[in-house]
Amino acid sequence: MKTLLYVFIGLWGFLVCSQNKETLYDFADIPQSLLLNPGTDIRFKYHVGVPFLSQIHVNAGLKGGSLYDVFADDGRNINEKIETTLNKLTSNDYLTFTQQLEVFSFGWESKKNNSIYFSGGVYQELDFIGYFPKDFAVLAYQGNQDFINQPFRFSTISGSGELLMVYHFGYTQKVSKKLTFGARAKLYSSMLHVRSAKNIGAFTTIETPQGSNIYQHIISNADVTVRTSGYASLRDIEAETSSEEAKELVNKLIGRAILGGNLGLGIDVGFTHKIDDQLSVTGSANDLGVVFYTKDVETYRAKGNYVFDGFETPIQFSGEESQNFLDEFLDAVPLDTLSSSYITMRPLKLNGSIKYAFNPYDDGSCDCFLAGEDPPFRDALGVQLFMQFRPKRPQYAASLFYYKRLFNFLRTKVTYTLDDHSYYNLGFLLSTHIDKINFYISANNLFEYTNLAKARGVSLQLGFNFLM
Amino acid sequence: MKTQKVSLLVLIIGIALQLTSCVKDLDLDQIDDVVLTPVYEFDFLFSRIATDQFIDPNTDPTIIIQPPPIRDTLNYDLLSTDFVVDNLERVELTFEFSNTIERDFVFEFGFLNEAGQRIGPSFDIVAMAGNGEGTDPVITTEVIVLDTATINVLGAAAKLVSSISVQNVTSTLQGVLELKSKGTYFIIYEP
């Protein structure tokens, strides 16, 4: 209970957005844009990411509240603030955290067919989303006295978390002057996975003026499942904390990272379609795939119905045996531990954009393109849409963006995004291109950096590449 | 030259982010003041006794009977978990008797430990006499408060014993005595 409260409140300010990378999407100067759309219209001939430094990505967000709501130093009692926040939050509010680290990445233009670009690499991803378990937070914080006849729904318990490695390889082909298409195959090796979704049933205390007692406490159609994989074998290690055990834990995780975990397959596909020289449309689908959880699987499931209306006395008049309340409850709603395999879809992400480019480098001020190729544009304006499937419902975001090549060595993109977290999400990407070295850094929710306590989402990514 | 320019730029942005990103106006120590004070209501005992369950209707109606108390023992361990003992501040037991039998009843209850020994206080409530079968029942309501000290003693409770007694009855008496009750549990939990 204590841990839960700490974790939830502690993570409050720092967590949750979706995996939207609005600044990086279709930013064709950086190879990592190929991970968002394998059909990005890129112009480089090869790239190598600096190992462990080519993409560092952290994304945290919270929908519905902020750390400030609860911990503001404003003289009000914290319990009052918790109560206000509790009443404000709904079970569709959530906390999310995503972290990615590219271990290495590379790409090259095919020698046989220079319209094809191959790219591949390995990255690690940690992804967590926890919905606010509104009904049970209320039950724990306020009790059932003020909520007679109102159901506490198990469906408000929902969340998932996963730590995995992704091995990927794909290609990008300029099919014609107007169309670039790309696809990427992915092999997932899941190290840890926890998921509880689609729970049903409710706990309700109803008033029964005609019944045998004042109330009936009813657990109806309960079916609550928590699936885990990779957890059961670690749990035993966690119990001990000697360095030997810690070593074993690390070895286990590394083993799973290098294809020893639960494996899965997926694809990314995407395209860029140039309507004319200046106007283009793009679209992509990422992580259309599944992971098969067969190893080290433990699923906990509680299912059943139960009605309690007190203890009857004298019991001899009803002819029933006196039973322990807890035993009776556990018989009616048994908790089973299963080890059957399961399959889970990866969180599918969809991106799309329309871009209008203008102001080309045709005044001879830039030697940044090859003879015979069209000069690049210095400015572009457009709209992007993003959608990610989550356990409860999809998350959406829409962005306006402005791309600007300030100099050939300094390229930027500014985004203004509307999403679940805020209506004032300003993002910025800065990419430097000096000789063959590319460095980029991007952050969103810039307004909120002035006070992270009030932030409802923060995303940061940066990396180094060699490009030519 | 260019490298210098860029390093400078990165540095400036870095410093700007450092300067502007901060966590203001927060007092995280407030976590120590967090107190959960939920109030739970759960059904407690219930009972329904009709006259024919303790008086043989064939008894000569002129005979006045002193029936033995109706005694009962139930398994009851709701108060015995550590969480409850440590964090339960108060319990209010609300009893509501509806009586149509024209006699007062005395309801008495108390608790036993694992060894079957009486622990804590005993409680008794008089359910007032009703006005006979077919009349509106006479309602007796009583609230018994268990304070922290009593709850600590009852932490060892494993069984609940109850008895219902009535005096001076005849086989002409008709009616029903009903009991409904609930416990209101006031928790104070400092995580």
Side-chain angles (χ1 to χ4, degrees), chain A residues 71-376:
Chain A
F71 287 103
D73 191 9
D74 57 1
R76 288 165 64 214
N77 183 288
I78 187 168
N79 296 298
E80 202 181 297
K81 289 181 280 191
I82 290 175
E83 196 149 330
T84 309
T85 310
L86 192 62
N87 291 333
K88 192 177 72 175
L89 292 174
T90 74
S91 57
N92 284 325
D93 291 324
Y94 54 82
L95 181 68
T96 113
F97 180 76
T98 302
Q99 168 270 332
Q100 286 175 337
L101 179 69
E102 203 164 68
V103 177
F104 63 89
S105 67
F106 54 86
W108 74 96
E109 187 182 272
S110 167
K111 286 196 174 124
K112 286 182 190 159
N113 180 351
N114 66 8
S115 70
I116 296 180
Y117 191 86
F118 294 106
S119 59
V122 179
Y123 66 89
Q124 163 270 326
E125 179 175 313
L126 173 68
D127 187 26
F128 167 83
I129 181 164
Y131 289 90
F132 183 66
K134 167 94 175 181
D135 290 13
F136 291 90
V138 166
L139 185 61
Y141 204 81
Q142 296 174 325
N144 68 344
Q145 188 185 40
D146 293 337
F147 301 90
I148 302 299
N149 299 324
Q150 291 181 42
F152 292 92
R153 298 155 300 166
F154 294 112
S155 61
T156 62
I157 299 170
S158 187
S160 73
E162 179 146 42
L163 174 64
L164 80 174
M165 292 296 282
V166 183
Y167 296 79
H168 62 88
F169 190 80
Y171 78 101
T172 305
Q173 182 171 20
K174 277 196 172 67
V175 181
S176 69
K177 269 213 134 177
K178 285 192 181 292
L179 181 67
T180 305
F181 175 82
R184 178 175 310 283
K186 287 180 162 173
L187 179 61
Y188 307 106
S189 185
S190 171
M191 296 182 260
L192 260 179
H193 180 246
V194 182
R195 181 184 173 92
S196 185
K198 300 195 172 81
N199 294 315
I200 57 165
F203 165 70
T204 318
T205 297
I206 57 167
E207 256 171 324
T208 51
Q210 308 304 320
S212 52
N213 209 340
I214 298 170
Y215 300 126
Q216 273 194 332
H217 308 282
I218 301 173
I219 289 177
S220 54
N221 294 318
D223 192 349
V224 178
T225 304
V226 178
R227 298 182 184 286
T228 71
S229 84
Y231 166 68
S233 67
L234 296 185
R235 185 185 38 205
D236 309 331
I237 298 176
E238 275 170 352
E240 310 278 325
T241 47
S242 70
S243 60
E244 276 295 300
E245 303 272 1
K247 219 173 182 180
E248 196 188 330
L249 176 78
V250 170
N251 288 343
K252 260 201 167 127
L253 285 177
I254 290 175
R256 288 175 194 172
I258 46 181
L259 301 180
N262 283 298
L263 301 181
L265 289 171
I267 55 163
D268 296 352
V269 289
F271 70 91
T272 301
H273 175 60
K274 288 191 170 173
I275 295 168
D276 61 31
D277 272 359
Q278 292 177 279
L279 193 63
S280 58
V281 179
T282 73
S284 73
N286 292 318
D287 283 324
L288 180 58
V290 293
V291 178
F292 304 92
Y293 300 94
T294 55
K295 298 177 199 166
D296 205 11
V297 171
E298 229 174 58
T299 295
Y300 313 100
R301 185 174 191 188
K303 198 178 170 201
N305 290 284
Y306 185 64
V307 178
F308 174 71
D309 57 5
F311 303 93
E312 183 171 14
T313 182
I315 199 80
Q316 65 262 33
F317 287 175
S318 67
E320 284 174 26
E321 292 270 307
S322 172
Q323 240 195 326
N324 268 321
F325 164 74
L326 280 177
D327 292 348
E328 208 173 87
F329 173 74
L330 291 174
D331 282 349
V333 189
L335 175 66
D336 293 323
T337 302
L338 312 166
S339 54
S340 47
S341 304
Y342 63 96
I343 296 175
T344 299
M345 296 277 293
R346 292 286 299 142
L348 177 66
K349 291 162 282 272
L350 302 176
N351 278 291
S353 75
I354 300 174
K355 179 167 82 173
Y356 178 72
F358 54 100
N359 193 14
Y361 266 120
D362 53 4
D363 56 1
S365 67
C366 174
D367 57 354
C368 50
F369 57 100
L370 301 171
E373 276 190 12
D374 294 330

Side-chain angles (χ1 to χ4, degrees), chain B residues 51 97-105 127-140 172-177:
Chain B
T51 41
F97 292 90
S98 315
N99 193 5
T100 57
I101 305 168
E102 293 168 273
R103 290 291 182 279
D104 285 352
F105 283 77
M128 286 181 297
N131 301 315
E133 195 175 34
T135 62
D136 283 343
V138 170
I139 309 289
T140 308
T172 54
L173 278 177
Q174 296 283 311
V176 174
L177 171 70

Side-chain angles (χ1 to χ4, degrees), chain B residues 20-60:
Chain B
T20 55
S21 97
C22 60
V23 176
K24 282 184 201 158
D25 316 324
L26 288 194
D27 176 11
L28 293 178
D29 292 340
Q30 291 179 86
I31 191 105
D32 296 336
D33 303 332
V34 171
V35 183
L36 275 70
T37 52
V39 180
Y40 297 101
E41 295 217 332
F42 284 105
D43 282 328
F44 189 50
L45 303 169
F46 68 95
S47 186
R48 187 179 190 283
I49 299 171
T51 41
D52 58 5
Q53 285 173 303
F54 62 93
I55 312 166
D56 182 351
N58 300 319
T59 311
D60 179 347

Side-chain angles (χ1 to χ4, degrees), chain A residues 16-35:
Chain A
V16 190
C17 277
S18 42
Q19 289 186 26
N20 191 7
K21 296 178 183 171
E22 66 272 23
T23 53
L24 196 55
Y25 182 75
D26 205 33
F27 196 94
D29 310 79
I30 301 176
Q32 279 71 24
S33 61
L34 288 170
L35 287 171

